[in-house]
Amino acid sequence: VERPSGESEPMRRITPRLRIHAFGWIAAGLFLGSHMARIAVIAPHPDDAEIGMGGTIARLAEQGHEILIVDMTDGCPTPVGDRATRLKEAAEAIKLLSPAPGKGRAVRRILLDLKNREVEHTIQARHRLAAAYRAHQAEIVFVPHPLDAHPDHMGGNAEFTDLLAMR
C-alpha cells in the first residue's frame, strides 16, 4: 500500500487473511474492492479512533464493512470530563461515524475497561483483547503507531502484536 508521498505504509501481513495497519496514511491506500471485511480498530482511549482515523472509519462503514472499535480504557481520569461524560461522548461519536440507515453498516464499539495510563503487557489485558479480537474475527486491524509517544498507545500496539505472536 502506498501513501501519497510514495513511501510504503507500515503494514504487516500476519496471516493470509489478516492485515495490520498503524494509524496514519490509511485512507489513501486501503482498497478492498467489493469484499466486505470485518475490521477492528484498537483504541487505547475512547477518542483515539476518531482522532486517528475517524474519516476512514466513516467511509468504510458507509461502504458496508463491519467496523468494531475496541476501546481499551475509558480515558479517565482526565482533566476534562468524567467516566459518564466520556462514555456518553463515545456513544455519540458512534452515531456520527455510522452511515444513515440503509446506507451502509453501523459502527460498533466495546470497552475492555483496562486502567487508563496503565495499558501494559499483562495477562488480563491480553485476555480481554484476545476475546474481543476472536469474537469479531477481524480480517483487518488498525492499531496505534508503535512509536506513538503516549504510553497507552504504545501499550495497545504491543498488546495486539504480542497477542498475534501467541497464535
Side-chain angles (χ1 to χ4, degrees):
V1 177
E2 298 293 316
R3 66 181 204 180
S5 69
E7 295 178 27
S8 293
E9 176 184 23
M11 180 181 88
R12 292 182 292 149
R13 204 174 275 284
I14 301 300
T15 70
R17 300 203 56 201
L18 175 67
R19 291 182 283 177
I20 300 176
H21 298 265
F23 287 174
W25 321 310
I26 295 158
L30 188 61
F31 174 73
L32 299 172
S34 61
H35 173 70
M36 293 298 115
R38 288 181 308 276
I39 300 170
V41 180
I42 309 301
H45 310 106
D47 57 359
D48 290 335
E50 292 86 341
I51 292 169
M53 56 179 290
T56 301
I57 292 169
R59 173 62 56 92
L60 292 170
E62 182 180 65
Q63 292 172 350
H65 301 285
E66 188 176 341
I67 312 285
L68 174 67
I69 298 174
V70 179
D71 292 325
M72 297 183 79
T73 75
D74 65 3
C76 292
T78 179
V80 211
D82 54 17
R83 180 178 170 97
T85 302
R86 294 291 302 249
L87 297 178
K88 180 181 175 192
E89 291 170 348
E92 290 172 4
I94 287 297
K95 292 176 189 173
L96 295 172
L97 292 173
S98 295
K103 301 285 185 184
R105 206 170 213 171
V107 177
R108 294 183 308 120
R109 166 176 252 140
I110 62 170
L111 173 62
L112 300 185
D113 224 5
L114 298 174
K115 189 170 181 183
N116 187 44
R117 300 183 187 151
E118 294 184 24
V119 175
E120 300 172 340
H121 291 74
T122 64
I123 296 298
Q124 177 190 31
R126 194 167 302 123
H127 283 186
R128 288 185 187 181
L129 187 57
Y133 169 69
R134 289 185 184 119
H136 188 61
Q137 299 179 354
E139 298 166 279
I140 298 170
V141 179
F142 292 95
V143 298
H145 195 280
L147 300 179
D148 192 312
H150 193 294
D152 283 352
H153 296 197
M154 291 186 293
N157 181 296
E159 277 298 336
F160 191 76
T161 302
D162 286 355
L163 170 69
L164 292 177
M166 295 174 55
R167 289 177 63 179

